[in-house]
Amino acid sequence: MNRTITTRDLPALMTGIMATLAGIGIARFAYTPLLPAIIQEGWFTASQGAYLGAANLLGYFIGALAAHSLSERFSPRLVMAASFAGIALSFVLCAGAGGFLWFFFWRLVSGIAGAILMVVGPSLALAATPPERRTRVGAMVFTGIGFGALLSAFIVPLLLGLSLTVTWGTLGLLCIAAGLLCDWGVAHLTSPITASSVGNSSTGYAGVKVVVLLVIGAYALDAIGFVPHTVFWVDYLARENALGNQAASLQWGIFGLGALCGPFMVGALAQRVGWQGGLMIAFAAKAAAVLLPVFSLALLSQSVSSFMVGAMIPGIVALTSGRLAELVGPTAHKKLWGQATAAFAAAQAVAGYAMSALYGAWGSYAPLFAISGLILFAGFLLVLLSRGVQQRHSSGQQSSKHSSNHSSNQGRQ
């Protein structure tokens, strides 16, 4: 079975990677290292800055709900182009100090557009990839998240040395470049794989409905678990623990490096233990990594936490996407992936606002990491439960089939 990446996969990879690069890598993660600078420059207070971060999460929920129907009603290529334009405008039009509501609106727009790209891009890439290469390509399309985090970690601090205005404007231009590359990929995609070519979907949606719901439930808990690292981590290190912007930027760089490596790590993991086994390992690793800063803020602890949470963010996204495609096939994947992304986004938006409120009440980010680690462990338990449900369902089907065969043999006798 050929599992290596070939030039035939380039359009699918370009479609997926550029969509995830802009959708989360830039639209979301680029804001994290901007947050301390925005507060220090006096554009907004710490509390307002946290709520602006949460505005992106609310937009992500709205976009996730709309993504599937929009891509069915209009050309996916047009929907994706409009989304790239929305993210680019959200940066360019916020390149100067402005009112809170203006920034809130454009952070909301970037969230809506980002979610649409995250649902439509990977689904198009998966559907256009032959089954034998889907594990590798399905994981690699999410490297865009890591590229964006890495880009924001190293480019944003350099640009901030010039000015905040230059930083926002440059990020907008990067989104335009990503959009042009993605459009080339979409234009060169092969025709989607038909449902009949997918063996795993033959069991039918009804047969795996409980398993699907448990996987989506775990994915929603993952959304809560990663809020502190993606919204507050840099500010937590730089200001709350007085480590300074340079040390915090280094950790965001390690986070970005992890996010880049994550899809490769889980791609190799999924080939060895399957999508299901990989998902269990990823949840356990991420829960431990999120809890680590609660016990130690030594440089090694910070770095391990940054790298592993960074790696498991796109890792769990890729594993969940792959697991759902395995359960229902790539044809039904886009609709189900849209629903999973909406559940993820709803949990993320609620968690974003709740954690912003808790920070306002407690004046410390530290308890938020403890809460998130425990919630990720609950996600691990749901994935474990889904495996048990599937095993019982499979054994039940086999015993039913055996009984049916036994009865027919008796009838013939």
Side-chain angles (χ1 to χ4, degrees), residues 36-87:
I38 287 168
I39 295 165
Q40 286 161 6
E41 289 281 325
W43 284 21
F44 300 105
T45 65
S47 177
Q48 285 177 323
Y51 278 109
L52 286 175
N56 182 270
L57 306 184
L58 176 62
Y60 198 80
F61 173 59
I62 297 167
L65 288 176
H68 177 69
S69 58
L70 282 173
S71 66
E72 290 293 309
R73 188 171 298 176
F74 304 104
S75 156
R77 186 178 180 182
L78 179 65
V79 169
M80 291 180 76
S83 299
F84 277 104
I87 296 171

Coordinates of all heavy atoms in Angstrom, one line a residue, residues 36-87:
P36 N 0.0 41.0 24.7 CA 0.7 41.8 25.7 C 1.1 43.2 25.1 O 1.0 44.2 25.8 CB 2.0 41.0 26.0 CG 1.7 39.6 25.6 CD 0.7 39.7 24.5
A37 N 1.4 43.2 23.8 CA 1.8 44.5 23.2 C 0.6 45.5 23.1 O 0.8 46.7 23.3 CB 2.4 44.2 21.8
I38 N -0.5 44.9 22.8 CA -1.7 45.8 22.7 C -2.0 46.4 24.0 O -2.4 47.6 24.1 CB -3.0 44.9 22.2 CG1 -2.8 44.6 20.7 CG2 -4.3 45.6 22.5 CD1 -3.8 43.5 20.2
I39 N -1.9 45.6 25.1 CA -2.1 46.1 26.5 C -1.1 47.1 26.9 O -1.4 48.2 27.4 CB -2.1 44.9 27.5 CG1 -3.3 44.0 27.2 CG2 -2.2 45.4 28.9 CD1 -3.2 42.6 27.8
Q40 N 0.2 46.8 26.6 CA 1.3 47.7 27.0 C 1.3 49.0 26.2 O 1.7 50.1 26.7 CB 2.7 47.0 26.8 CG 2.9 46.0 27.9 CD 4.0 44.9 27.5 OE1 4.6 45.0 26.4 NE2 4.1 43.9 28.3
E41 N 0.8 49.0 24.9 CA 0.7 50.2 24.1 C -0.5 51.1 24.5 O -0.6 52.2 24.0 CB 0.6 49.8 22.6 CG 1.9 49.3 22.0 CD 2.9 50.4 21.6 OE1 2.5 51.5 21.2 OE2 4.1 50.1 21.8
G42 N -1.3 50.5 25.4 CA -2.5 51.3 25.8 C -3.7 51.3 24.9 O -4.6 52.1 25.1
W43 N -3.7 50.4 23.9 CA -4.8 50.3 23.0 C -6.0 49.8 23.7 O -7.1 50.3 23.6 CB -4.5 49.3 21.8 CG -3.6 49.9 20.8 CD1 -2.7 50.9 20.9 CD2 -3.5 49.4 19.4 NE1 -2.0 51.1 19.7 CE2 -2.5 50.2 18.8 CE3 -4.0 48.4 18.7 CZ2 -2.1 50.1 17.5 CZ3 -3.7 48.2 17.3 CH2 -2.7 49.1 16.7
F44 N -5.8 48.8 24.6 CA -6.9 48.2 25.4 C -6.4 47.8 26.8 O -5.2 47.6 26.9 CB -7.6 47.0 24.7 CG -8.2 47.3 23.4 CD1 -7.5 47.0 22.2 CD2 -9.3 48.1 23.3 CE1 -8.0 47.3 20.9 CE2 -9.9 48.4 22.0 CZ -9.2 48.0 20.9
T45 N -7.3 47.6 27.7 CA -6.9 47.1 29.0 C -6.7 45.6 28.9 O -7.1 45.0 27.9 CB -8.0 47.4 30.1 OG1 -9.2 46.7 29.7 CG2 -8.4 48.9 30.1
A46 N -6.2 45.0 30.0 CA -6.0 43.6 30.0 C -7.3 42.8 29.8 O -7.4 41.8 29.1 CB -5.3 43.1 31.3
S47 N -8.3 43.3 30.5 CA -9.6 42.6 30.5 C -10.2 42.8 29.1 O -10.7 41.8 28.5 CB -10.6 43.3 31.5 OG -11.8 42.7 31.4
Q48 N -10.1 43.9 28.4 CA -10.6 44.1 27.1 C -9.9 43.3 26.1 O -10.5 42.7 25.2 CB -10.5 45.6 26.7 CG -11.5 46.5 27.3 CD -11.3 48.0 26.9 OE1 -10.1 48.4 26.8 NE2 -12.4 48.7 26.7
G49 N -8.6 43.2 26.3 CA -7.7 42.3 25.4 C -8.2 40.9 25.4 O -8.2 40.2 24.4
A50 N -8.5 40.4 26.7 CA -8.9 39.0 26.8 C -10.3 38.8 26.1 O -10.5 37.8 25.5 CB -9.1 38.7 28.3
Y51 N -11.2 39.8 26.2 CA -12.5 39.6 25.6 C -12.4 39.7 24.0 O -13.1 39.1 23.3 CB -13.5 40.7 26.1 CG -14.1 40.3 27.4 CD1 -13.8 40.9 28.6 CD2 -15.0 39.3 27.4 CE1 -14.3 40.5 29.8 CE2 -15.6 38.9 28.6 CZ -15.3 39.5 29.8 OH -15.8 39.1 31.0
L52 N -11.4 40.5 23.5 CA -11.2 40.5 22.1 C -10.7 39.1 21.6 O -11.1 38.7 20.5 CB -10.1 41.6 21.7 CG -10.6 43.0 21.8 CD1 -9.5 44.0 21.5 CD2 -11.8 43.3 20.8
G53 N -9.9 38.5 22.4 CA -9.5 37.1 22.1 C -10.7 36.2 22.0 O -10.8 35.3 21.2
A54 N -11.6 36.4 23.0 CA -12.8 35.5 23.0 C -13.7 35.8 21.9 O -14.5 35.0 21.5 CB -13.5 35.7 24.4
A55 N -13.7 37.0 21.3 CA -14.5 37.4 20.2 C -14.2 36.5 19.0 O -15.1 36.1 18.3 CB -14.3 38.8 19.8
N56 N -13.0 36.1 18.8 CA -12.6 35.2 17.7 C -13.2 33.9 18.0 O -13.6 33.2 17.0 CB -11.0 35.2 17.7 CG -10.5 34.3 16.6 OD1 -10.3 33.1 16.7 ND2 -10.3 34.9 15.4
L57 N -13.3 33.4 19.2 CA -13.8 32.1 19.5 C -15.3 32.1 19.2 O -15.8 31.1 18.8 CB -13.6 31.8 21.0 CG -12.1 31.8 21.5 CD1 -12.0 31.4 22.9 CD2 -11.2 31.0 20.6
L58 N -16.0 33.2 19.5 CA -17.4 33.3 19.2 C -17.7 33.2 17.7 O -18.6 32.5 17.3 CB -18.0 34.6 19.8 CG -19.5 34.9 19.5 CD1 -20.4 33.8 20.1 CD2 -19.9 36.2 20.1
G59 N -16.8 34.0 17.0 CA -16.9 33.9 15.5 C -16.7 32.6 15.0 O -17.4 32.1 14.0
Y60 N -15.8 31.8 15.6 CA -15.4 30.5 15.1 C -16.6 29.6 15.2 O -16.9 28.7 14.4 CB -14.3 29.9 16.0 CG -13.6 28.8 15.4 CD1 -12.6 28.9 14.4 CD2 -13.8 27.5 15.9 CE1 -11.9 27.8 13.9 CE2 -13.2 26.4 15.3 CZ -12.2 26.6 14.3 OH -11.6 25.5 13.8
F61 N -17.4 29.7 16.3 CA -18.7 29.0 16.5 C -19.7 29.3 15.4 O -20.2 28.4 14.8 CB -19.3 29.3 17.9 CG -20.6 28.6 18.1 CD1 -20.8 27.3 18.0 CD2 -21.7 29.4 18.4 CE1 -22.0 26.7 18.2 CE2 -22.9 28.9 18.6 CZ -23.1 27.5 18.5
I62 N -19.9 30.6 15.1 CA -20.8 31.0 14.0 C -20.4 30.4 12.7 O -21.2 29.8 11.9 CB -20.9 32.5 14.0 CG1 -21.5 33.1 15.3 CG2 -21.8 33.0 12.8 CD1 -21.4 34.6 15.5
G63 N -19.1 30.5 12.4 CA -18.6 30.0 11.1 C -18.7 28.5 11.0 O -19.0 28.0 9.9
A64 N -18.5 27.8 12.1 CA -18.6 26.3 12.0 C -20.0 25.9 11.7 O -20.2 24.9 11.0 CB -18.1 25.7 13.4
L65 N -21.0 26.6 12.3 CA -22.4 26.3 12.0 C -22.8 26.5 10.6 O -23.5 25.8 10.0 CB -23.3 27.1 12.9 CG -23.3 26.7 14.4 CD1 -24.2 27.7 15.2 CD2 -23.8 25.3 14.6
A66 N -22.2 27.6 10.0 CA -22.6 28.0 8.6 C -21.8 27.3 7.5 O -22.2 27.2 6.4 CB -22.4 29.5 8.5
A67 N -20.6 26.7 7.9 CA -19.6 26.3 6.8 C -20.2 25.3 5.9 O -20.1 25.4 4.6 CB -18.4 25.7 7.5
H68 N -20.8 24.2 6.4 CA -21.3 23.1 5.5 C -22.4 23.6 4.5 O -22.3 23.4 3.3 CB -21.8 21.9 6.3 CG -22.4 20.9 5.5 ND1 -21.6 20.0 4.6 CD2 -23.7 20.5 5.3 CE1 -22.4 19.2 4.0 NE2 -23.7 19.4 4.4
S69 N -23.4 24.3 5.1 CA -24.5 24.8 4.2 C -24.0 25.8 3.2 O -24.4 25.8 2.0 CB -25.6 25.4 5.0 OG -25.1 26.5 5.8
L70 N -23.0 26.7 3.6 CA -22.4 27.7 2.6 C -21.7 27.0 1.5 O -21.9 27.3 0.3 CB -21.5 28.6 3.3 CG -22.1 29.8 4.1 CD1 -21.0 30.5 4.9 CD2 -22.9 30.7 3.2
S71 N -20.9 25.9 1.8 CA -20.1 25.2 0.8 C -21.0 24.4 -0.1 O -20.6 24.0 -1.2 CB -19.0 24.4 1.4 OG -19.6 23.3 2.2
E72 N -22.2 24.0 0.4 CA -23.2 23.3 -0.5 C -24.0 24.2 -1.4 O -24.3 23.9 -2.5 CB -24.2 22.5 0.4 CG -23.5 21.3 1.2 CD -23.1 20.2 0.3 OE1 -23.9 19.7 -0.6 OE2 -21.9 19.8 0.4
R73 N -24.3 25.4 -0.8 CA -25.1 26.4 -1.6 C -24.3 27.1 -2.6 O -24.7 27.4 -3.7 CB -25.7 27.4 -0.6 CG -26.7 28.3 -1.3 CD -27.5 29.1 -0.2 NE -28.2 28.2 0.7 CZ -28.9 28.6 1.8 NH1 -28.9 29.9 2.1 NH2 -29.6 27.8 2.5
F74 N -23.0 27.4 -2.3 CA -22.1 28.2 -3.2 C -20.9 27.3 -3.5 O -20.7 26.3 -2.9 CB -21.7 29.5 -2.6 CG -22.8 30.4 -2.1 CD1 -23.2 30.5 -0.8 CD2 -23.6 31.1 -3.0 CE1 -24.2 31.3 -0.3 CE2 -24.6 31.9 -2.6 CZ -25.0 32.0 -1.3
S75 N -20.2 27.8 -4.5 CA -18.9 27.1 -4.9 C -18.0 27.1 -3.7 O -17.7 28.2 -3.1 CB -18.3 27.8 -6.1 OG -16.9 27.6 -6.2
P76 N -17.4 25.9 -3.3 CA -16.5 25.9 -2.2 C -15.3 26.8 -2.5 O -14.7 27.4 -1.5 CB -16.0 24.4 -2.2 CG -17.2 23.7 -2.7 CD -17.7 24.6 -3.8
R77 N -14.9 26.9 -3.7 CA -13.8 27.8 -4.1 C -14.1 29.3 -3.8 O -13.3 30.0 -3.2 CB -13.4 27.7 -5.6 CG -12.2 28.4 -6.0 CD -11.9 28.1 -7.5 NE -10.7 28.8 -7.9 CZ -10.2 28.8 -9.2 NH1 -10.9 28.1 -10.1 NH2 -9.1 29.5 -9.5
L78 N -15.3 29.7 -4.1 CA -15.8 31.1 -3.8 C -15.9 31.3 -2.3 O -15.4 32.4 -1.8 CB -17.1 31.3 -4.5 CG -17.7 32.7 -4.3 CD1 -16.9 33.8 -4.9 CD2 -19.1 32.7 -4.8
V79 N -16.4 30.3 -1.6 CA -16.6 30.4 -0.1 C -15.2 30.6 0.6 O -15.1 31.4 1.5 CB -17.4 29.2 0.4 CG1 -17.3 29.2 2.0 CG2 -18.8 29.2 0.0
M80 N -14.3 29.8 0.1 CA -12.9 29.8 0.7 C -12.2 31.2 0.4 O -11.6 31.8 1.2 CB -12.1 28.7 0.3 CG -12.6 27.3 0.8 SD -11.6 25.9 0.3 CE -10.2 26.1 1.3
A81 N -12.4 31.6 -0.8 CA -11.8 32.9 -1.2 C -12.3 34.1 -0.4 O -11.6 34.9 0.1 CB -12.0 33.2 -2.7
A82 N -13.7 34.1 -0.2 CA -14.3 35.1 0.6 C -13.8 35.0 2.1 O -13.6 36.1 2.7 CB -15.8 35.0 0.6
S83 N -13.5 33.8 2.6 CA -13.0 33.6 3.9 C -11.6 34.2 4.1 O -11.3 34.9 5.1 CB -13.1 32.2 4.3 OG -14.4 31.7 4.3
F84 N -10.8 33.9 3.1 CA -9.4 34.5 3.2 C -9.4 36.0 3.1 O -8.7 36.6 3.9 CB -8.6 33.9 2.0 CG -8.0 32.6 2.2 CD1 -8.5 31.5 1.6 CD2 -6.8 32.4 3.0 CE1 -7.9 30.2 1.8 CE2 -6.2 31.2 3.2 CZ -6.8 30.1 2.6
A85 N -10.3 36.5 2.3 CA -10.5 38.0 2.2 C -10.9 38.6 3.6 O -10.4 39.6 4.0 CB -11.5 38.4 1.1
G86 N -11.8 37.9 4.3 CA -12.3 38.3 5.6 C -11.2 38.4 6.6 O -11.1 39.4 7.4
I87 N -10.4 37.4 6.6 CA -9.3 37.3 7.6 C -8.3 38.4 7.3 O -7.8 39.1 8.2 CB -8.6 35.9 7.6 CG1 -9.6 34.9 8.1 CG2 -7.4 36.0 8.5 CD1 -9.1 33.5 8.0

